[in-house]
Amino acid sequence: MPDLKLLADVPTADEREAIDVVVGGEAAGDGRVTRSDRTRRHLLLPALRAAQRRVGWVTPGALGYASRRLEIPPAEAYGVATFYALIALEERPADVLHVCTDLCCALAGATVPDGAQPSPCLGLCERAPASLRTVAGPEPREEQIPATGPPLPQTSGLKLLRRIAEGVDPESQPEFVALARARELGPDAVIAAVKASPLLGRGGAAFPTGRKWEAVASQPATPHYLVCNADESEPGTFKDRVIMEQDPFALVESMAIAMYATGCEKGFIYIRAEYPLAQKRIQHAIDASGFDIELRIGAGAYVCGEETALFQSIEGFRGEPRNKPPFPVEVGLFGKPTVVNNVETLVNVPHILLGDDARDTRLFCLSGNVGRPGLYEVELGTPLRDLLELAEAEPAKAVLLGGAAGSFLRPDQLDLELSFDAAREAGVTLGSGVVIVFGENADLVSAVLRIAEFFRDESCGQCVPCRVGTVRQEEALHRLASGRTNGNELAVLADLEQVMRDASICGLGQTAASAVTSAMKNLGVLA
Amino acid sequence: MIELTVDGQAVQVEEGSTILDACRRVEIDTPTLCYGDTLTPVNVCRVCVVELEGARTLVPSCSRKAEDGMVVRTDSERVRTSRRLVLELLGSSVNLSTAPEALAYIEQYDAEPDRFGADSLTVAQAVKVDNDLYVRDYSKCILCYKCVEACGVDHQNTFAIAVAGRGFGAHISTELDVPLPESACVYCGNCIAVCPTGALMATSEFELREAGTWKEEEQEEVDTVCPYCGVGCNLTMHVQEGQIVKVTSPDDHDVTLGNLCIKGRFGYRYVQNK
Ligand SMILES: Cc1cc2nc3c(=O)[nH]c(=O)nc-3n(C[C@H](O)[C@H](O)[C@H](O)COP(=O)(O)O)c2cc1C
Ligand code: SF4
Ligand code: SF4
Ligand code: SF4
Ligand code: FES
Ligand code: FES
């Protein structure tokens, strides 16, 4: 590391104190960076968050202090800070209201009052319209609005949600029977059991979990890490939040099992910044259980749910996805073999080990024009129509399946079986279990434009197809919507769909045209 | 050795080579913009993509390691379409007027950057002239990350600049966008040397271009050794009408890899100040 040229601005005492809580106190004296300060770049985002939660924004003084204490060139620290939507580098009030303007909240008539910030989906879609209030100060806090949603809509037939339906206390530690069972079995047998189960990843890519675990367990490089992906930012998704808020011990126990089976020294859970209650409950469960798990909190970036972007974010870099291969099982967090799993994926594991319920169920997030929005659990293979009936969906003119990265279905396609195979055959994806119902009066053009805006906003900007492609896609759709066409929009959109899918680095760009294209082809919207 | 097939030809390359190395071995012309022989591949421009049998998407040839038995196509319609689109997207958003490679690829791939319409968003902005030695015109920046790499771990270890912002707003910046003289910049100009678009340009060249008197065809290149210190960097003096208008170093030079310091790159004025 070179001698750093630092920012001249100095932090206030409050900022210094807030950052010191994260990075450790500075040795009295000459203010030089001590040796132990090296290699601590991973504390950058926590330090920036701490400074902002104290005074409302990241001042030049705070940015300079964080970069000095962590020996990060200020230009790079600035690059990281400006990556995240929820980090403010310009002065703003301590109390900020972030109002969701995404798909479900728009259906519920969301409007952004003066002085409030518009926000992508806050993961509170079952209580749309929703917002998040962030209050900086000596006792910073974040509030989800509305604070509570409807109770779980189902009471029976549940597996992953059973304990929640039974009213489990999220703050009292249960006996970890599945972990005890894992320890009886030994790591190899745990992996064998997961491999023998039909469990596929629930974060979107549907990769077989057992194979991932086996690959990491067999890596000679050490240490191994477990990362639980709780970034959950796909519009319309709130399943992981419900689990973390209401049954956090199930998740930490599942993480402990995964770590045990795959020889992980340490676990991380990365929860999006917009989930304050989940963060609190998970931190409490970690503290109570004593597992070596560290909670990391995002700062407003959908792309950080992409597994390698998530590693970059934890490591203190911009959340730019890495090129694969190498895959995380070989080169993951801090360059080490890493198991990354979604929350829902992990909480399946105790049931596999205990053999208490052999059904392969899946969580679905129902929102939009439905009578009983919320989180549902049904067996894989259930027809979509049954799920819609359970949720008392209004007659739909379209259903968005799989989220912004998913696809729109027509009313005559709603008999689709909700299984990975049937979805693949139909050329759609279950994604993260999103089912948004658009009733007769819904404005599909607005929905399509909102999706295009979402991808343009959330692109990390690294690769050309996505950085510029998402802008051109949005421009072309706006031209079509407003009737100011050049006459070539359809050809342009088709080309963009191809280049983004084929040549983008990560899944964000690769799917940035999926829902838009399906709306045009399937529903004739703007076509 | 590794053996793979590229466009139907068997190619042998050493372990650790990339698909791009294999393409070059058999003289298959492959466009690259963010790739530099002396830099760690960042694989962000995606103009070098190729079709790899068994892969769901195209892969960047500049960074994808060659493996035994790979079957690669570089001449398919699918490859051409993506390359053309990447060039159209860049050409529609960035001023490529001083980016000869990019312009040549646009021609070669029949790319039409104008097809998105006149009101397309661009990165147009004012030129940053905040020091005597070089200017930064980010309306010409394709965000290839080369300057950041050259300033950082790959060459200079100064870390004066980084990528900031996100999405289309991503851009190269000093901390808080302070002017260069307030940043960590040491004016080695190694970022200028790697910039493929002329976004970074020595003031001498910038001023001549502004005045319309930059005559690249008439310039002579004179090689010499830098007189300032014992390292012995090779210098190439670009001379126009008897005046040195730019100094570079050959990037295949084993001492410099194209890099110089402020003295070698900018300290030539004394030669002319008679
Ligand atoms: C743009 C993008 C966002 C993603 N967001 C999430 C997310 O919020 N949560 C998640 O579990 N997986 C997300 N993924 C998928 C992850 O990359 C990864 O596949 C997943 O965490 C693996 O866990 P699983 O095998 O248990 O599904 C995202 C992928 C992309 C491309
Ligand atoms: S596809 Fe988009 S989000 Fe993914 S790396 Fe490229 S620019 Fe970033
Ligand atoms: S001139 Fe040298 S130090 Fe300054 S930004 Fe360019 S590479 Fe970095
Ligand atoms: S300034 Fe030049 S080298 Fe730097 S990113 Fe832009 S185009 Fe690349
Ligand atoms: S919380 Fe508004 S769409 Fe999800
Ligand atoms: S040259 Fe390969 S991605 Fe840019």
Side-chain angles (χ1 to χ4, degrees):
Chain A
M1 187 54 64
D3 289 335
L4 291 182
K5 173 159 166 146
L6 296 161
L7 282 163
D9 310 81
V10 288
T12 62
D14 287 341
E15 289 168 330
R16 187 186 288 262
E17 192 184 292
I19 292 173
D20 283 350
V21 168
V22 173
V23 307
E26 193 168 20
D30 57 9
R32 285 212 355 246
V33 179
T34 59
R35 266 193 73 75
S36 61
D37 275 332
R38 292 170 196 250
T39 70
R40 296 197 310 157
R41 178 161 185 149
H42 65 98
L43 294 176
L44 179 58
L45 186 54
L48 296 174
R49 273 180 44 84
Q52 170 156 322
R53 292 183 84 225
R54 183 68 188 81
V55 301
W57 61 296
V58 175
T59 67
L63 184 70
Y65 184 64
S67 31
R68 177 165 71 79
R69 292 300 317 285
L70 298 171
E71 280 224 333
I72 299 168
E76 291 205 357
Y78 178 71
V80 171
T82 52
F83 187 83
Y84 296 98
L86 290 176
I87 298 282
L89 284 142
E90 263 152 45
E91 184 163 9
R92 70 175 185 194
D95 190 338
V96 180
L97 188 67
H98 304 266
V99 178
C100 177
T101 57
D102 222 319
L103 300 170
C104 319
C105 292
L107 283 174
T111 52
V112 184
D114 273 353
Q117 302 280 331
S119 167
C121 176
L122 292 165
L124 300 171
C125 326
E126 87 282 23
R127 37 186 116 151
S131 35
L132 175 81
R133 187 171 161 215
T134 54
V135 186
E139 278 165 39
R141 66 199 157 83
E142 288 83 22
E143 274 170 39
Q144 296 168 166
I145 303 168
T148 53
L152 276 191
Q154 292 164 294
T155 50
S156 60
L158 301 172
K159 173 177 162 184
L160 305 175
L161 298 179
R162 200 194 68 224
R163 294 212 303 203
I164 298 178
E166 289 168 2
V168 67
D169 176 1
E171 297 191 344
S172 76
Q173 181 173 332
E175 206 182 320
F176 291 139
V177 281
L179 178 59
R181 177 80 188 121
R183 290 189 173 131
E184 278 164 34
L185 289 168
D188 292 348
V190 172
I191 292 178
V194 175
K195 266 186 83 176
S197 79
L199 183 59
L200 302 177
R202 302 290 165 83
F207 189 84
T209 306
R211 269 175 49 203
K212 192 183 279 188
W213 286 23
E214 184 177 54
V216 171
S218 67
Q219 291 291 322
T222 55
H224 298 175
Y225 292 113
L226 170 74
V227 175
C228 173
N229 189 342
D231 195 46
E232 189 160 82
S233 309
E234 182 71 44
T237 318
F238 50 86
K239 64 194 179 73
D240 299 340
R241 174 181 56 76
V242 171
I243 293 173
M244 292 189 287
E245 287 180 351
Q246 301 193 44
D247 195 3
F249 283 99
L251 180 59
V252 298
E253 179 183 20
S254 305
M255 288 181 68
I257 295 169
M259 287 161 67
Y260 171 72
T262 57
C264 289
E265 189 164 284
K266 187 175 165 103
F268 287 86
I269 176 164
Y270 188 97
I271 305 183
R272 68 183 300 202
E274 296 84 345
Y275 282 179
L277 182 60
Q279 293 158 17
K280 181 173 147 234
R281 295 257 163 93
I282 288 290
Q283 187 62 59
H284 173 265
I286 292 171
D287 295 342
S289 65
F291 298 136
D292 192 355
I293 296 173
E294 195 175 321
L295 169 62
R296 289 303 181 106
I297 299 171
Y302 166 62
V303 72
C304 286
E306 197 281 339
E307 53 198 13
T308 60
L310 196 159
F311 303 152
Q312 295 288 103
S313 180
I314 292 180
E315 291 178 24
F317 293 88
R318 293 162 56 76
E320 294 174 347
R322 302 174 185 164
N323 210 48
K324 294 185 266 193
F327 290 95
V329 294
E330 278 178 47
V331 182
L333 184 64
F334 299 113
K336 300 297 179 185
T338 302
V339 183
V340 198
N341 276 130
N342 171 257
V343 172
E344 182 191 344
T345 311
L346 287 166
V347 296
N348 267 279
V349 172
H351 299 283
I352 294 172
L353 298 188
L354 296 173
D356 60 358
D357 191 336
R359 295 172 310 146
D360 196 12
T361 62
R362 220 196 129 139
L363 302 180
F364 288 95
C365 312
L366 274 285
S367 65
N369 298 131
V370 297
R372 302 175 69 216
L375 187 56
Y376 288 77
E377 178 175 11
V378 294
E379 247 182 291
L380 276 164
T382 304
L384 174 57
R385 201 177 289 284
D386 292 4
L387 189 58
L388 294 174
E389 266 166 35
L390 274 179
E392 296 172 10
E394 294 173 21
K397 72 174 167 199
V399 169
L400 180 62
L401 185 64
S407 21
F408 282 96
L409 302 178
R410 278 191 313 267
D412 63 298
Q413 294 174 307
L414 303 182
D415 289 312
L416 178 79
E417 252 184 40
L418 296 169
S419 70
F420 293 106
D421 291 337
R424 192 174 319 121
E425 239 163 74
V428 299
T429 168
L430 304 183
S432 49
V434 172
V435 180
I436 303 179
V437 176
F438 293 84
E440 298 296 351
N441 298 321
D443 179 353
L444 290 176
V445 171
S446 298
V448 167
L449 293 175
R450 183 66 185 91
I451 290 172
E453 179 192 358
F454 175 79
F455 283 107
R456 190 257 292 140
D457 270 348
E458 298 296 334
S459 164
C460 83
Q462 195 182 192
C463 64
V464 176
C466 171
R467 177 178 77 238
V468 191
T470 54
V471 173
R472 296 290 175 258
Q473 169 171 272
E474 194 191 11
E475 288 171 344
L477 291 169
H478 272 289
R479 282 202 301 273
L480 289 173
S482 67
R484 291 177 292 112
T485 89
N486 290 340
N488 71 349
E489 279 81 9
L490 298 185
V492 161
L493 287 166
D495 273 359
L496 290 173
E497 194 270 338
Q498 184 176 344
V499 71
M500 292 198 286
R501 175 167 39 78
D502 252 359
S504 294
I505 295 178
C506 85
L508 189 150
Q510 287 161 12
T511 58
S514 309
V516 170
T517 307
S518 71
M520 298 180 77
K521 288 205 177 130
N522 253 354
L523 308 174
V525 176
L526 293 176
Chain B
M1 290 298 262
I2 285 171
E3 188 167 320
L4 64 163
T5 311
V6 184
D7 293 343
Q9 297 184 61
V11 189
Q12 290 204 331
V13 289
E14 297 77 43
E15 192 86 30
S17 304
T18 60
I19 295 177
L20 179 65
D21 295 328
C23 292
R24 289 183 172 173
R25 176 75 39 96
V26 287
E27 291 177 9
I28 291 172
D29 180 35
T30 309
T32 63
L33 285 169
C34 67
Y35 174 81
D37 288 322
T38 65
L39 301 167
T40 316
V42 287
N43 41 257
V44 295
C45 78
R46 319 303 280 185
V47 77
C48 70
V49 287
V50 296
E51 203 170 334
L52 171 62
E53 212 172 271
R56 190 171 40 90
T57 60
L58 302 177
V59 303
S61 62
C62 66
S63 55
R64 185 60 180 263
K65 294 270 184 287
E67 289 166 33
D68 253 327
M70 273 182 166
V71 178
V72 174
R73 297 224 69 88
T74 77
D75 59 355
S76 64
E77 198 46 46
R78 198 174 155 204
V79 169
R80 282 192 67 86
T81 301
S82 271
R83 289 182 181 175
R84 173 172 58 80
L85 260 293
V86 164
L87 294 164
E88 288 175 345
L89 291 172
L90 281 177
S92 68
S93 52
V94 180
N95 171 357
L96 296 175
S97 61
T98 53
E101 288 110 337
L103 289 175
Y105 297 147
I106 283 179
E107 188 107 332
Q108 186 186 341
Y109 283 88
D110 298 321
E112 294 170 42
D114 296 338
R115 65 193 287 236
F116 304 108
D119 49 1
S120 299
L121 189 64
T122 71
V123 295
Q125 58 193 283
V127 187
K128 289 186 194 299
V129 185
D130 55 12
N131 68 89
D132 292 341
L133 299 177
Y134 79 102
V135 304
R136 297 176 291 154
D137 183 355
Y138 291 126
S139 59
K140 295 179 172 175
C141 174
I142 58 169
L143 213 69
C144 70
Y145 289 54
K146 280 181 170 175
C147 54
V148 175
E149 292 205 292
C151 190
V153 277
D154 277 350
H155 294 324
Q156 185 60 28
N157 270 294
T158 297
F159 301 95
I161 46 175
V163 180
R166 182 167 91 189
F168 195 81
H171 62 284
I172 307 292
S173 182
T174 58
E175 59 273 23
L176 300 166
D177 201 20
V178 299
L180 275 185
E182 287 168 38
S183 78
C185 178
V186 297
Y187 303 101
C188 61
N190 293 331
C191 52
I192 309 174
V194 294
C195 179
T197 64
L200 307 178
M201 193 179 275
T203 307
S204 50
E205 175 174 349
F206 175 72
E207 285 176 349
L208 290 174
R209 281 186 186 270
E210 289 286 282
T213 52
W214 176 260
K215 299 171 191 155
E216 195 147 331
E217 331 69 57
E218 295 173 17
Q219 289 166 12
E220 271 180 86
E221 296 189 2
V222 184
D223 288 337
T224 176
V225 173
C226 180
Y228 282 104
C229 79
V231 174
C233 298
N234 267 24
L235 302 183
T236 302
M237 305 287 183
H238 301 247
V239 181
Q240 176 179 317
E241 290 160 355
Q243 296 282 310
I244 301 169
V245 292
K246 173 159 89 175
V247 177
T248 57
S249 182
D251 55 7
D252 55 359
H253 179 39
D254 53 4
V255 176
T256 68
L257 295 173
N259 295 310
L260 292 170
C261 77
I262 181 171
K263 293 178 280 186
R265 193 173 309 273
F266 296 113
Y268 56 81
R269 289 191 187 158
Y270 78 97
V271 182
Q272 305 177 155
N273 288 349
K274 307 224 172 75

